[in-house]
Amino acid sequence: MFAYVEPAKGRTDMPSPLPARTVATPALSRRALLRGAAAAGTAGLLTACAGRSDAVFDSEAVPWKRYAGTTLNFISENTAPTAAIAADVKPFTELTGIRVNIVTLELSALAQKVALDFASGNGEYDVVYADPYLVLAPYAPAFADLRQFQEDSELPDLSGGFGDFIPAQLDAAGRFQDSGKVLALPYDCPTMVWQYRADLFAKYRERMADDLGFDPMPSDDSTWEQYYGIARWFNENTDDVRYGTGHQAKQHDSLMCDFSNLLWSFGGDYFADGMRVGRLGAIDPGKCLLRAEEAVAGAEFYDRLLRVADPGSLTWDWDGLGAAFRAGRIAMCPNWHEYAASNEAALPGKVGYARLPKGPARSAAMYGGTGIAVSNVVPARRQQAAWLFLNWATAPKAQLSNLASKVGGGTPTRTSVYEVPRVVAAEHRPSQMPNMLSARAVREAWQDKNIGLRPKIPMWGECDTAIYTQVSRMLAGDASPAAAMKAAASRIDQITARGWVG
């Protein structure tokens, strides 16, 4: 009755839990893995399910206890909710009699291991952290439709049903192409918000307003042009911080995330019907739209913004940016909302959170959430036992416990948890659940008009690399914004034209 947590490669200790996000490293070649699945449904992918024995089963036991004696394997990225569950999985074992081994890896390594497991048919992992872009979209046939378990009267009901999950998250993290099937339950939900030194904004508010001609305090009316002006003002008028803004602009997936906020806010997108491609996904998304004038305008502004940002931005991913902000080096930044807990530990009472500014088209905030899924490669009873874990791990009670965890804890993906009185109270200081200090900002960001969803396509890992490679060239001065967008679009068109099998 234990949880084994395998550290990320190269580490002898378990890394600090952080919000889940995509690392754009292509997984195992899909040519060999999915040729059969593409031709004949799941037949070529789900071989014999012969790698592991089926779950222990007692038909006379109560539903939660019928699989007592079974051991499940859960593979996850090192995320906040997984850290919390790993530290306190005992209640699940006491409830079910099921042991859970938890393996945590860096995301690209996780995608490789899951792909190999599916290709071999061994079914080593019963529960999978199904990143929508590197795992769910490429290998959708290998995941069970969770509706079968929810509709089975012999299995415990999912508290609140699928309808209790935030709708955009259920689509983005839980579905692929088919709006009916549910392949994963929303498990974490990191979303980018405007994080700022509220103490410094209060200190200089009147001076900034006089100099800039607008109220600098972040609000739903704030624009990216105003954000740029505020950044320059801090650069030129105070020594409280070294720079007004910082960004996660390393040549890395983080750069794609940071840039995408501006792309969408200027009316650009990666493909036509971007909201559908982001929410439900597509195998053939069509031609890339980065050549469009809206996309170029977004790139031009991003290039201009980074020229007044902390130069360290070009070396930072989300972790580096978060550390710089907590160290007092910058006055504000766009970053994942789940850094609120570490911000509060380093700068207690000094940080504020708001929805990202508006561009000419809208405000757009990158959503980086992921679901957990049941492998279709494992035997039937083992799938049912895995469903019990999904049911328990995403239940309101577990999400409430995770939110208050001292070792990790994520932000809830269920509407009902946000209505719990002590959760509502935690949105204000003093807060025992510091991630809730960013709750108002992320609720705004999750609205359909504001949410930013990267394309959920099987070949996204390669497209992601094309984007951050060309945007990095632009920031280095090696390509104009228009040239960078054209080059990225051309490469993406090559990738998508090849198709998802390869």
Side-chain angles (χ1 to χ4, degrees), residues 187-472:
Y187 181 66
D188 57 24
C189 54
T191 303
M192 295 187 79
V193 298
W194 185 353
Q195 306 184 20
Y196 62 96
R197 286 288 301 274
D199 58 332
L200 299 183
F201 273 69
K203 179 179 179 180
Y204 295 112
R205 184 175 186 174
E206 291 186 9
R207 278 184 58 190
M208 281 196 284
D210 288 342
D211 292 347
L212 297 171
F214 61 84
D215 185 353
M217 196 60 68
S219 74
D220 290 346
D221 294 324
S222 298
T223 68
W224 277 111
E225 283 289 351
Q226 291 174 342
Y227 184 100
Y228 175 86
I230 294 166
R232 288 195 62 179
W233 191 94
F234 272 104
N235 289 354
E236 297 168 1
N237 292 280
T238 176
D239 294 327
D240 292 82
V241 289
R242 291 172 63 181
Y243 291 93
T245 187
H247 294 264
Q248 45 188 272
K250 179 180 179 179
Q251 188 172 330
H252 177 269
D253 177 56
S254 59
L255 175 53
M256 179 279 300
C257 294
D258 198 50
F259 163 71
S260 294
N261 297 320
L262 274 301
L263 172 71
W264 293 319
S265 72
F266 274 73
D269 213 330
Y270 293 107
F271 300 102
D273 201 4
M275 185 59 71
R276 177 189 61 81
V277 176
R279 284 185 78 134
L280 292 180
I283 291 176
D284 181 6
K287 297 282 286 186
C288 181
L289 300 182
L290 287 180
R291 300 175 184 87
E293 62 181 30
E294 295 87 351
V296 173
E300 289 173 344
F301 181 85
Y302 188 69
D303 188 43
R304 181 159 63 95
L305 178 61
L306 266 290
R307 293 184 190 281
V308 301
D310 190 319
S313 298
L314 300 182
T315 69
W316 294 335
D317 60 8
W318 37 74
D319 289 339
L321 176 60
F325 181 75
R326 292 191 300 274
R329 180 165 169 162
I330 55 179
M332 59 184 182
C333 62
N335 208 347
W336 305 102
H337 82 277
E338 290 184 341
Y339 281 97
S342 52
N343 289 345
E344 197 66 10
L347 298 165
K350 296 181 179 181
V351 180
Y353 303 90
R355 191 193 71 189
L356 289 180
K358 296 186 298 185
R362 66 179 179 118
S363 170
M366 172 66 79
Y367 162 80
T370 292
I372 51 174
V374 173
S375 171
N376 219 6
V377 177
V378 303
R381 295 294 187 192
R382 187 168 285 282
Q383 291 182 34
Q384 293 164 0
W387 165 253
L388 297 188
F389 180 76
L390 261 68
N391 192 331
W392 174 83
T394 64
K397 182 178 180 180
Q399 293 200 353
L400 184 60
S401 176
N402 290 351
L403 185 59
S405 173
K406 300 299 184 184
V407 298
T411 306
T413 60
R414 285 176 171 271
T415 301
S416 61
V417 180
Y418 290 92
E419 299 168 353
V420 175
R422 65 188 180 106
V423 174
V424 174
E427 294 185 23
H428 307 281
R429 294 183 177 91
S431 178
Q432 299 301 310
M433 303 171 180
N435 277 343
M436 289 305 299
L437 296 173
S438 62
R440 181 186 176 279
V442 291
R443 280 199 297 267
E444 287 287 321
W446 292 333
Q447 292 184 22
D448 289 349
K449 64 181 181 179
N450 298 326
I451 195 167
L453 298 171
R454 73 198 83 177
K456 188 164 53 175
I457 58 176
M459 62 290 287
W460 176 248
E462 293 177 87
C463 296
D464 186 356
T465 301
I467 295 159
Y468 67 65
T469 298
Q470 294 304 324
V471 175
S472 184

Side-chain angles (χ1 to χ4, degrees), residues 132 136 169-176 181-186 371 456:
L136 185 65
Q169 296 181 22
L170 185 62
D171 283 349
R175 293 188 165 104
F176 184 66
K181 288 184 178 179
V182 179
L183 302 179
L185 297 182
K456 188 164 53 175

Side-chain angles (χ1 to χ4, degrees), residues 31-80:
R31 182 187 297 275
L33 180 60
L34 295 177
R35 189 186 302 278
T42 61
L45 179 60
L46 312 179
T47 53
C49 296
R52 293 173 68 203
S53 60
D54 209 345
V56 177
F57 180 69
D58 180 359
S59 62
E60 300 300 318
V62 298
W64 280 104
K65 288 286 190 180
R66 286 180 180 167
Y67 307 91
T70 299
T71 297
L72 297 175
N73 291 335
F74 172 29
I75 187 168
S76 175
E77 186 184 9
N78 178 41
T79 67

